[in-house]
Amino acid sequence: MQDEMTLDRRLMLSGMLAATLPVATSSAIAQENTAEETDGNYVSVNGIRVHYLRYRATRPPIVLLHGWPAYSEEWRPVMDRLRGRFDLIAPDLRNFGKSDKPAGDEPAANCGPDILAADLLAFADRLGLKTFGIVSHDVGAYVAQTFARQHPERLSGLFFFNCPYNGIGNRWADAPHLLQTWYQYFNQQPFAAKLVGSSREACRHYIGHFLKAWSAGNPAAFDVVVEQWVDNFMRPHNLQGGFNWYISTNPGRQATIQGRASAVPVIRTPTKFFWGRLDPSIKAEWTDRLDEFFSDFDLSFCEDGGHFVNYERPDAASREIQTFFEGSRVNWKSVDA
Amino acid sequence: MQDEMTLDRRLMLSGMLAATLPVATSSAIAQENTAEETDGNYVSVNGIRVHYLRYRATRPPIVLLHGWPAYSEEWRPVMDRLRGRFDLIAPDLRNFGKSDKPAGDEPAANCGPDILAADLLAFADRLGLKTFGIVSHDVGAYVAQTFARQHPERLSGLFFFNCPYNGIGNRWADAPHLLQTWYQYFNQQPFAAKLVGSSREACRHYIGHFLKAWSAGNPAAFDVVVEQWVDNFMRPHNLQGGFNWYISTNPGRQATIQGRASAVPVIRTPTKFFWGRLDPSIKAEWTDRLDEFFSDFDLSFCEDGGHFVNYERPDAASREIQTFFEGSRVNWKSVDA
């Protein structure tokens, strides 16, 4: 009897929540795929099994690409807020989360931007996404930029939080900034995964550091999920998987710092940046050269956000995503159901 | 009976060993202070208790200054080989080994070169060392250089293995070299000691990495003592103690990289460098500007040595130290007994 009341109450609350969403289909959506939406789905593409979260809706699709040290779950607060407005799809990138890690525990240059962009193309094809938007930051922002240069016809728009791009140049290696970027080199060390993965406590110290220190606008943002993040990174191969991103991108990183990075085509896809002003890692003043790399962009700042604007300030983050992708600048040539 | 025979045999071997040493006093020395020489001594100077190893001899004194990640024990192989030839004294620097760590587990800029040089002056005064030589590398080499600029009248000569000095300049931050120097920044992070000290295993991964990777001429050099090194760094406050060196020296490090380090007086003390050619951290080619900082020096290379020439190639290291300090260039104004 107690259980049934609890269940009724849960359904009532679910109905009330749905009623507050301003889209007609939301209550129908809320009733489908609950387990799938919570635990995720799998699809085999480009030689690996990719795990992804999806809040399905008969609406324009948006793919959300996470960073390091994170995984698809870092989009949960934004997805919860945008549910029903878009077809929201957050994959775990190769080597992250519950997606495959083909190199296992081996240090390997096996997941650079070109590989991850190829994964994304195959993933979009497999899901039947003809035209879609991308929301990204950090690692995901590298993938989004590479994809946008290779397949602009597939994109309706690009939304970035703090975005590592070639215009940062040698500022990555500014003497005071080396106190921030050491992890890009630590993560490449052959012992790094063994040290960080030596215990949950060790992992919590390391991963927890970034979640707190980089969330400079809201350092407590990840407090309630830090154990979930530790769970994720203590899964087999997940630490080395993420570290392999830094091994994969080291040649490009050095070229950028040394000012010998190859010239890249300007990205003409409509683009919005909503940059956390307080990010200690990818700094707000480094937006000064965006116009050399993006021809059609709008920039604004999340004044009380750091690196993880999506997690620190999910209301503002969701509002900006919605405004951009519902706005007239975005070009939805087709809408996938 | 068995015990006595064993003892006799030990004395015989001791006599045989002493007979091979070309100094008359060696057998007398071998019989004194055995426990003290093994476990070390303590003396209170400059507000802290300093621990040191001493192989006492009525010979010219040499103070041996260790680096990071190490402590007085890193001189043991060299001290064993030079026993009886010099009065050999290896202190644990403030914040290292068994010397005091006044900041405890707090990240603190409490042990820069000026402080450690003041410790050394007080230490030498307390032990009655009027004129002495210094053998050093790494952290110890900073202390030796600072001391040499402040108190040249106290020094007979300076012997360096791989020596960090101001002429390295912005090469510390060369893009490819950031894969080596990340630890100078990692070590400053407030979580670093918690992570590395989270277990013996974690500590072994971290400290063991440097002992092996930097011993590029003999990567197995520390294999038999790695647990002893872990013991040392797992002592209360010892990880944070060493890390505080990097916090203390960060302003100077940034100034050096940015080319705004204060000019320093040229060191005129007779100096010998015996530089490990294979050191991945403090590179052999960085010897190119020594003549701007030392007016009376000789440079040669340990071709099959890395960062820890003293531990990787103790025979060659000891031979070079002996040759230098027994040579005519060194100025023993007085010999302390």
Side-chain angles (χ1 to χ4, degrees):
Chain A
M1 189 64 176
Q2 184 71 33
D3 282 351
E4 282 175 32
M5 282 177 65
T6 308
L7 182 63
D8 284 345
R9 191 169 150 68
R10 221 185 296 145
L11 286 170
M12 276 177 61
L13 284 170
S14 165
M16 286 164 65
L17 190 67
T20 66
L21 290 175
V23 280
T25 54
S26 63
S27 62
I29 294 161
Q31 285 164 31
E32 67 176 67
N33 301 320
T34 307
E36 175 185 281
E37 289 178 356
T38 304
D39 300 330
N41 316 265
Y42 290 90
V43 68
S44 289
V45 293
N46 206 25
I48 60 165
R49 210 164 73 121
V50 170
H51 170 262
Y52 62 103
L53 306 176
R54 185 171 195 173
Y55 286 4
R56 197 184 286 271
T58 312
R59 288 296 185 110
I62 292 178
V63 176
L64 303 105
L65 300 178
H66 64 80
W68 181 92
Y71 62 124
S72 52
E73 284 294 333
E74 77 159 308
W75 298 112
R76 192 73 80 171
V78 160
M79 291 174 77
D80 285 343
R81 284 162 178 78
L82 295 175
R83 187 176 199 129
R85 293 189 177 279
F86 305 97
D87 187 8
L88 297 165
I89 305 159
D92 287 327
L93 297 172
R94 178 187 292 252
N95 281 6
F96 286 83
K98 295 178 184 168
S99 290
D100 278 356
K101 293 109 204 153
D105 278 338
E106 290 301 310
N110 73 336
C111 61
D114 283 329
I115 293 169
L116 297 185
D119 287 349
L120 177 57
L121 179 65
F123 179 77
D125 287 347
R126 180 73 178 71
L127 267 59
L129 311 178
K130 291 193 193 100
T131 307
F132 56 99
I134 299 179
V135 172
S136 68
H137 79 147
D138 199 84
V139 172
Y142 282 96
V143 183
Q145 291 171 86
T146 302
F147 188 89
R149 292 189 192 106
Q150 296 174 346
H151 310 288
E153 74 286 355
R154 300 295 291 270
L155 293 177
S156 60
L158 288 167
F159 184 101
F160 294 99
F161 299 103
N162 312 12
C163 175
Y165 74 110
N166 286 5
I168 294 172
N170 64 6
R171 292 179 287 189
W172 284 119
D174 277 351
H177 204 63
L178 295 175
L179 269 168
Q180 293 294 332
T181 51
W182 57 268
Y183 74 94
Q184 298 172 355
Y185 307 97
F186 172 90
N187 287 358
Q188 298 182 57
Q189 303 299 317
F191 72 91
K194 296 190 193 90
L195 166 57
V196 177
S198 60
S199 68
R200 283 188 67 88
E201 185 190 350
C203 185
R204 190 182 300 112
H205 282 305
Y206 193 65
I207 300 298
H209 161 73
F210 297 101
L211 298 180
K212 190 170 285 287
W214 287 357
S215 295
N218 182 8
F222 286 93
D223 282 1
V224 295
V225 292
V226 70
E227 293 305 317
Q228 186 183 338
W229 249 249
V230 174
D231 287 343
N232 171 68
F233 281 104
M234 291 299 283
R235 291 173 62 93
H237 319 316
N238 273 27
L239 283 166
Q240 189 62 54
F243 292 168
N244 282 346
W245 164 258
Y246 293 94
I247 294 175
S248 301
T249 51
N250 193 58
R253 180 178 300 109
Q254 290 196 17
T256 300
I257 291 172
Q258 296 181 325
R260 52 178 180 78
S262 307
V264 286
V266 168
I267 293 174
R268 306 194 181 283
T269 304
T271 299
K272 165 72 185 181
F273 295 93
F274 185 53
W275 202 294
R277 177 77 76 183
L278 307 174
D279 188 350
S281 170
I282 307 179
K283 303 179 80 169
E285 60 259 41
W286 293 349
T287 53
D288 57 352
R289 293 184 58 195
L290 286 172
D291 60 354
E292 300 172 41
F293 296 87
F294 296 86
S295 67
D296 178 14
F297 74 97
D298 174 60
L299 165 68
S300 66
F301 294 95
C302 179
E303 298 294 342
D304 55 1
H307 182 75
F308 292 107
V309 176
N310 53 340
Y311 223 90
E312 296 172 63
R313 302 295 172 196
D315 289 336
S318 305
R319 193 170 56 238
E320 293 290 334
I321 292 169
Q322 180 183 342
T323 301
F324 176 65
F325 282 108
E326 289 182 354
S328 58
R329 292 177 56 217
V330 170
N331 179 19
W332 295 107
K333 290 164 232 166
S334 71
V335 173
D336 306 84
Chain B
M1 191 65 176
Q2 182 73 32
D3 281 350
E4 281 173 34
M5 281 176 65
T6 308
L7 184 62
D8 284 350
R9 188 169 151 71
R10 220 185 298 144
L11 285 171
M12 274 176 61
L13 284 169
S14 165
M16 287 163 65
L17 190 68
T20 67
L21 289 175
V23 280
T25 54
S26 62
S27 63
I29 294 160
Q31 286 165 31
E32 69 177 61
N33 300 320
T34 307
E36 175 184 282
E37 288 179 357
T38 303
D39 301 331
N41 315 267
Y42 290 90
V43 69
S44 289
V45 293
N46 206 24
I48 59 164
R49 209 165 73 121
V50 171
H51 170 262
Y52 62 102
L53 305 177
R54 185 171 194 173
Y55 286 4
R56 196 185 288 269
T58 313
R59 289 294 185 115
I62 293 179
V63 176
L64 303 105
L65 301 178
H66 64 80
W68 182 92
Y71 62 125
S72 52
E73 284 294 332
E74 77 159 308
W75 298 112
R76 191 75 78 172
V78 159
M79 291 174 77
D80 285 343
R81 284 161 178 78
L82 294 176
R83 188 177 198 128
R85 293 190 178 278
F86 305 97
D87 187 8
L88 298 165
I89 305 157
D92 287 328
L93 297 171
R94 178 186 291 250
N95 280 6
F96 286 83
K98 295 178 183 167
S99 289
D100 278 356
K101 292 106 205 157
D105 279 337
E106 289 302 309
N110 72 336
C111 61
D114 283 330
I115 293 168
L116 297 185
D119 287 349
L120 177 57
L121 178 66
F123 179 77
D125 286 347
R126 180 72 176 74
L127 267 58
L129 312 178
K130 291 192 191 101
T131 307
F132 56 100
I134 299 179
V135 172
S136 68
H137 79 148
D138 200 84
V139 172
Y142 281 97
V143 183
Q145 291 171 85
T146 303
F147 188 88
R149 292 189 192 105
Q150 295 174 347
H151 309 287
E153 73 287 356
R154 300 295 290 270
L155 292 177
S156 59
L158 289 167
F159 184 101
F160 294 99
F161 299 103
N162 312 11
C163 175
Y165 74 109
N166 285 5
I168 295 173
N170 64 5
R171 292 178 288 190
W172 284 119
D174 277 350
H177 204 65
L178 295 175
L179 269 167
Q180 292 294 333
T181 51
W182 57 269
Y183 73 94
Q184 298 172 355
Y185 308 96
F186 172 90
N187 287 357
Q188 297 182 57
Q189 303 299 317
F191 72 89
K194 297 189 191 91
L195 165 57
V196 176
S198 60
S199 69
R200 282 187 68 88
E201 184 190 350
C203 186
R204 190 182 300 112
H205 282 305
Y206 192 65
I207 301 299
H209 160 72
F210 297 101
L211 298 180
K212 191 172 284 289
W214 286 357
S215 296
N218 181 7
F222 286 94
D223 281 2
V224 294
V225 293
V226 70
E227 293 305 317
Q228 186 183 338
W229 249 249
V230 174
D231 287 343
N232 171 68
F233 280 104
M234 290 299 283
R235 290 172 64 93
H237 319 316
N238 273 28
L239 283 166
Q240 189 61 55
F243 292 168
N244 282 347
W245 164 258
Y246 294 93
I247 294 174
S248 301
T249 51
N250 193 58
R253 181 178 299 109
Q254 290 196 17
T256 300
I257 291 173
Q258 296 181 326
R260 52 176 181 76
S262 307
V264 287
V266 168
I267 292 174
R268 307 196 179 282
T269 304
T271 299
K272 165 72 185 180
F273 296 93
F274 185 53
W275 203 293
R277 177 77 75 182
L278 307 174
D279 189 349
S281 170
I282 307 179
K283 302 177 81 169
E285 60 258 41
W286 293 349
T287 53
D288 58 351
R289 293 184 58 195
L290 286 172
D291 60 353
E292 299 173 41
F293 297 87
F294 297 87
S295 68
D296 178 14
F297 75 97
D298 173 61
L299 166 67
S300 64
F301 293 95
C302 180
E303 298 295 342
D304 56 1
H307 182 75
F308 292 106
V309 176
N310 53 340
Y311 223 89
E312 295 173 63
R313 303 295 171 195
D315 290 336
S318 304
R319 193 170 53 238
E320 293 289 334
I321 292 170
Q322 181 183 342
T323 300
F324 175 66
F325 281 109
E326 288 182 354
S328 59
R329 291 177 56 217
V330 169
N331 179 19
W332 294 108
K333 287 165 235 166
S334 71
V335 173
D336 306 85

